[in-house]
Amino acid sequence: MNKKENPVAKAVDKVIDAISDNGGEEIPGRPGSAPPQVAEPVEPRGPLPPKPDQRGPDPFTATGQPSGDTTETRAQGGAYLTTATGTRLPDTDHSLKAGPRGPVLLRDHHLREKITHFDHERIPERVVHARGAGAHGVFRGYGSAAKVTKAAFLAKDVETPVFVRFSTVLGSRGSADAVRDTRGFATKFYTSEGVFDLVGNNIPVFFIQDAIKFPDVIHAGKPHPDREIPQAQSAHDTFWDFVSLHTEATHHTMWNMSDRGIPRSYRMMEGFGVHTFRLVAADGGTVLAKFHWKPKAGVHSLVWEEAQIVNGVDPDFHRRDLADAIEAGAYPEWEFGIQVFPDSPDQTFEGIDLLDPTKIVPEELAPVQPIGLLTLNANPANFFAETEQVAFHVGHLVPGIDVTDDPLLAGRLFSYLDTQITRLGGPNFVQLPINRPHAPVNDMLRDSMHQTAVHTGVAPYRPNSLDGGCPFQAPGGYVEVPVPVEAAARGRTAPASYADHFSQPRLFWLSMSPVEQAHIIAAYTFELSKVFEQAIRERQLQVLARVDPYLCEQVALGLGLPVPEGKPEVYVEPSPALSQVGRQWPTTGRIVGIVAGGDLDALRTVRQAVLDGGMVPLVIAPAGGVLPGPGDPISVQRTFAAARSVEFDAIVVAGAPAPGPDAVGARDAKAGLSGPVDPRVSLMLNEAYRHGKPLGGWDGAADAFASAGIPPGAPGVVVGEAGPEVLGEVVTLLGGHRVWSRFPASLGPNA
């Protein structure tokens, strides 16, 4: 495959074009599509076009017809300020008054229109998943699912536009990104047969088995209703009170306490459909299936201290990371896969109840079969119109995909429709541009608030003759699978299999590597230490004793509490597929910090090598602008004062930089400890070392590492004579994400 045909090479070229000094552009993140001038513009001109990485919803009408609109024609137009009805205005800086000192006149329509619209700009935020980020993309089917489903978008080489929204669950719209929480992974497929919404999470199980408990778990996880704190956290009494009493939540809680609860990036996050679905083949045959998203970049996480720093330094960390990657052309990719099971009357597989959303089927028992590729390749043109107004619903299905009798899924089928009506002002939310199907719509639904279609005809009912009988019922349309329903007594009951709350939490624990288990112990200890009531802590320790004695013992030790009696009741085989550690992954799109030193030629060479590898180099120096010295200018992206280690996946140091002129404690607290190396660089290297990140340096960099308290010969710290060779070793280490061998974890005999 030559470079012209190679999509990876194209992505690398886009990265180089986007951030190369010689390309005329800076690093991703420029706010507008053209650089501004210093003086206020006075020459009238029309609105600037969107940035190259942005596009709005695809141009379809409210009834699913191609419209020919563009992002520009749907946005504001004209060079002059107007009212909402198009009347030009010469002034928007002063209210209409009776004289220069007032009073302001009620007849000022422009004032009233401007303020009234502003007062109504916000819509109710989502009760859950309020904090989110979105992107446009394309899904290409492999055709490998044809034997089990007739869904047209999964056929070979069929390309389907998509919009994906990632989110946290508990926090409000203004909360931070890198909190410990479950992440939403919702995908809207605009298929030729209608919209299919796969509304999943980055964790394959949920806290509850029945939707009737959903208000309970969310009320418990949300801030306490008296003080409205803590925000976007589970480390408080009401959450742990609930999950320690409602033990079916134990499995999901274990995932949340693992590294999966603090992902490095949306780009490095798995996705799961959570529920079991029923797939229908062209011949009418059915199977049961679970949906999976597997990131091409690998599954990676933050460490807890790093996440805490991120939330203070850059609360928009995940949003920014996703948008910058797309703008740079390093398009995030996921393979779409399915686990397939026989559609047996008992709907179980290897003793696992497939209708229980608190349980997984290990991939060793049912491998994930790839059936398509998702690529995110465009940022939204307007966050509110797209990411905020997108409305997902698990009932948006297409032929070939049906639901099962999972009681949590049954409640979601009601709840998602209900919440969109409240949040988006009525039942016509599907007509918003981001929600419009790309297939013709003739639904006989009429009127209501925010109706944007202009329907014709006189007979929105069936049967009719006045509109020629249209719409006609569609042969081959969506038909629910006629699954037999057993005769049974009505009652508020659950299957006996739902009573097993501990075998799968133990499966997850035993499947973790030692370092991942150490992180789980630390997470439980931290969270429970924030719980005020000791009775709740003791109760949760009783739960952990039924998962694993060593886990319980270590958490109890950290809390200063006695170890309760109890032991696991079942034997389970680990599932190595659940661990994030131990594999090598592509480094494309990773961020490498380069601390500037004296040899600019070496720095240029290393910077270009980072670009050539499809990664993003950020040059760090005492001051902004360009580095002083001969040769082509090198732009500085971060100053010693502004940079923190959490921005970078790896750091390389060109020497041992002396303190900058602003390394004064009164100006920058990070510079409070003086020394031969700039103390802010020492802090940055010390943080990166503690967080297990690969480090490298040359030209006297050993002194910089020593100033950071990093011992000579430490694992994952490369010191050499030449920058390119050092970088090569650092990139190899980066393929494993972290240098876990730097802090070996030892486990007790019961682990």
Side-chain angles (χ1 to χ4, degrees):
M1 181 182 296
N2 62 39
K3 186 173 181 180
K4 186 175 291 186
E5 299 170 340
N6 187 336
V8 175
K10 290 180 180 178
V12 171
D13 287 344
K14 288 180 179 178
V15 175
I16 295 171
D17 290 343
I19 64 179
S20 169
D21 288 325
N22 298 324
E25 294 290 338
E26 291 297 331
I27 62 171
R30 181 185 290 271
S33 57
Q37 60 193 46
V38 174
E40 179 181 356
V42 294
E43 186 69 28
R45 55 154 299 163
L48 294 174
K51 293 166 58 180
D53 63 291
Q54 297 175 333
R55 68 177 176 87
D58 288 334
F60 282 78
T61 69
T63 56
Q65 313 293 321
S67 70
D69 289 340
T70 65
T71 301
E72 290 85 348
T73 59
R74 287 178 293 185
Q76 69 276 18
Y80 294 97
L81 176 70
T82 73
T83 66
T85 52
T87 302
R88 289 186 178 182
L89 294 169
D91 186 293
T92 191
D93 297 330
H94 307 92
S95 301
L96 186 65
K97 308 182 193 74
R101 300 180 64 83
V104 174
L105 301 179
L106 183 62
R107 65 170 289 174
D108 188 347
H109 168 73
H110 176 45
L111 168 67
R112 287 185 289 114
E113 179 185 69
K114 187 174 181 180
I115 293 295
T116 299
H117 194 282
F118 171 78
D119 290 343
H120 294 267
E121 280 182 0
R122 294 293 168 263
I123 62 175
E125 70 173 35
R126 292 165 168 88
V127 177
V128 289
H129 298 276
R131 171 78 177 181
H136 296 275
V138 63
F139 176 82
R140 178 171 59 84
Y142 290 164
S144 51
K147 293 182 180 179
V148 294
T149 177
K150 61 184 178 182
F153 77 98
L154 294 174
K156 184 174 176 57
D157 293 332
V158 171
E159 293 194 349
T160 301
V162 300
F163 187 82
V164 176
R165 186 178 188 271
F166 304 103
S167 56
T168 53
V169 173
L170 290 177
S172 65
R173 252 189 86 182
S175 59
D177 279 346
V179 296
R180 185 177 294 281
D181 197 0
T182 303
R183 266 60 180 188
F185 192 138
T187 308
K188 186 176 290 291
F189 297 83
Y190 304 94
T191 87
S192 61
E193 299 178 299
V195 167
F196 170 52
D197 285 343
L198 181 58
V199 195
N201 287 332
N202 74 321
I203 290 175
V205 293
F206 203 63
F207 291 106
I208 54 176
Q209 296 164 324
D210 192 307
I212 202 168
K213 297 299 296 178
F214 191 75
D216 298 318
V217 67
I218 298 304
H219 287 166
K222 286 285 189 176
H224 291 201
D226 53 352
R227 298 186 177 188
E228 184 64 10
I229 56 173
Q231 179 60 245
Q233 297 177 55
S234 55
H236 56 96
D237 285 67
T238 57
F239 175 80
W240 288 101
D241 183 41
F242 177 81
V243 299
S244 63
L245 292 167
H246 195 69
T247 54
E248 69 190 51
T250 303
H251 193 192
H252 190 160
T253 304
M254 179 76 73
W255 280 75
N256 258 17
M257 295 302 106
S258 78
D259 292 343
R260 303 281 185 144
I262 44 174
R264 157 64 181 84
S265 164
Y266 292 137
R267 300 180 288 129
M268 303 162 197
M269 192 174 78
E270 276 187 289
F272 304 91
V274 179
H275 309 286
T276 298
F277 291 80
R278 180 172 278 109
L279 303 183
V280 186
D283 62 4
T286 62
V287 296
L288 301 179
K290 286 183 175 291
F291 293 118
H292 294 251
W293 292 111
K294 299 286 188 181
K296 288 283 196 177
V299 187
H300 306 305
S301 296
L302 302 169
V303 297
W304 181 231
E305 185 197 36
E306 183 183 21
Q308 292 175 301
I309 297 172
V310 162
N311 286 332
V313 173
D314 186 5
D316 306 302
F317 184 73
H318 286 150
R319 283 184 175 184
R320 192 184 316 280
D321 175 87
L322 177 67
D324 283 355
I326 292 172
E327 184 178 349
Y331 298 144
E333 292 183 322
W334 290 261
E335 274 201 313
F336 192 37
I338 50 174
Q339 287 179 294
V340 178
F341 321 102
D343 191 358
S344 58
D346 62 2
Q347 298 178 94
T348 65
F349 182 77
E350 297 289 340
I352 300 168
D353 194 325
L354 296 174
L355 300 189
D356 184 348
T358 68
K359 294 183 174 66
I360 64 166
V361 177
E363 293 183 25
E364 290 78 8
L365 298 179
V368 176
Q369 305 172 33
I371 61 173
L373 181 69
L374 167 68
T375 304
L376 298 182
N377 56 19
N379 286 311
N382 183 278
F383 182 92
F384 179 84
E386 298 166 74
T387 306
E388 188 64 17
Q389 291 197 129
V390 68
F392 298 94
H393 178 28
V394 290
H396 291 162
L397 302 165
V398 292
I401 302 175
D402 199 357
V403 297
T404 59
D405 291 328
D406 173 345
L408 177 60
L409 179 55
R412 294 179 77 195
L413 287 167
F414 164 78
S415 178
Y416 278 67
L417 180 60
D418 186 51
T419 194
Q420 306 302 359
I421 290 174
T422 298
R423 195 174 66 85
L424 296 173
N428 289 316
F429 62 86
V430 176
Q431 296 184 14
L432 292 167
I434 192 62
N435 297 321
R436 290 176 180 175
H438 295 190
V441 173
N442 196 344
D443 54 15
M444 299 192 299
L445 305 178
R446 293 294 186 269
D447 306 339
S448 191
M449 292 184 68
H450 311 305
Q451 176 63 253
T452 57
V454 183
H455 294 108
T456 60
V458 296
Y461 53 83
R462 271 198 51 82
N464 78 74
S465 63
L466 293 177
D467 280 350
C470 186
F472 296 90
Q473 296 183 100
Y478 189 91
V479 177
E480 292 80 2
V481 177
V483 179
V485 179
E486 292 185 14
R490 183 170 56 194
R492 297 185 183 275
T493 59
S497 62
Y498 279 35
D500 172 18
H501 299 166
F502 295 101
S503 65
Q504 292 227 332
R506 180 157 177 78
L507 164 71
F508 183 77
W509 167 259
L510 293 177
S511 302
M512 296 295 99
S513 67
V515 70
E516 290 170 306
Q517 290 184 335
H519 292 168
I520 292 172
I521 291 169
Y524 271 107
T525 306
F526 175 89
E527 295 258 326
L528 292 170
S529 72
K530 298 289 186 177
V531 171
F532 184 88
E533 297 293 349
Q534 182 168 318
I536 297 173
R537 293 186 226 148
E538 292 178 355
R539 188 192 308 140
Q540 182 59 36
L541 287 174
Q542 293 171 5
V543 173
L544 295 182
R546 300 180 67 180
V547 176
D548 186 84
Y550 182 73
L551 168 62
C552 179
E553 170 195 301
Q554 292 298 302
V555 176
L557 181 67
L559 296 174
L561 295 174
V563 180
E565 293 184 2
K567 62 180 181 179
E569 300 166 3
V570 293
Y571 172 80
V572 293
E573 286 284 346
S575 170
L578 295 175
S579 174
Q580 298 182 176
V581 174
R583 283 168 282 182
Q584 289 291 116
W585 299 98
T587 58
T588 304
R590 306 306 286 269
I591 299 172
V592 179
I594 306 175
V595 180
D599 188 347
L600 294 187
D601 288 336
L603 192 148
R604 284 191 191 90
T605 302
V606 168
R607 184 180 181 281
Q608 189 61 47
V610 173
L611 286 167
D612 292 343
M615 297 169 287
V616 179
L618 298 181
V619 175
I620 313 162
V626 297
L627 294 177
D632 294 333
I634 301 175
S635 295
V636 175
Q637 282 79 44
R638 298 291 185 272
T639 64
F640 290 171
R644 286 302 288 267
S645 67
V646 294
E647 291 189 84
F648 314 112
D649 296 297
I651 300 175
V652 294
V653 187
D662 62 342
V664 180
R667 185 183 300 184
D668 186 350
K670 300 190 299 298
L673 296 175
S674 60
V677 175
D678 193 296
R680 296 162 299 182
V681 173
S682 300
L683 174 64
M684 183 163 49
L685 295 175
N686 181 273
E687 285 177 350
Y689 180 80
R690 295 200 316 272
H691 301 160
K693 296 182 179 180
L695 300 171
W698 63 95
D699 194 20
D703 293 338
F705 294 133
S707 74
I710 299 172
V717 181
V718 182
V719 178
E721 296 297 323
E725 287 74 15
V726 168
L727 177 67
E729 293 187 48
V730 167
V731 171
T732 299
L733 292 166
L734 189 53
H737 183 56
R738 306 274 176 169
V739 184
W740 298 120
S741 61
R742 188 175 289 164
F743 306 110
S746 59
L747 295 175
N750 296 322

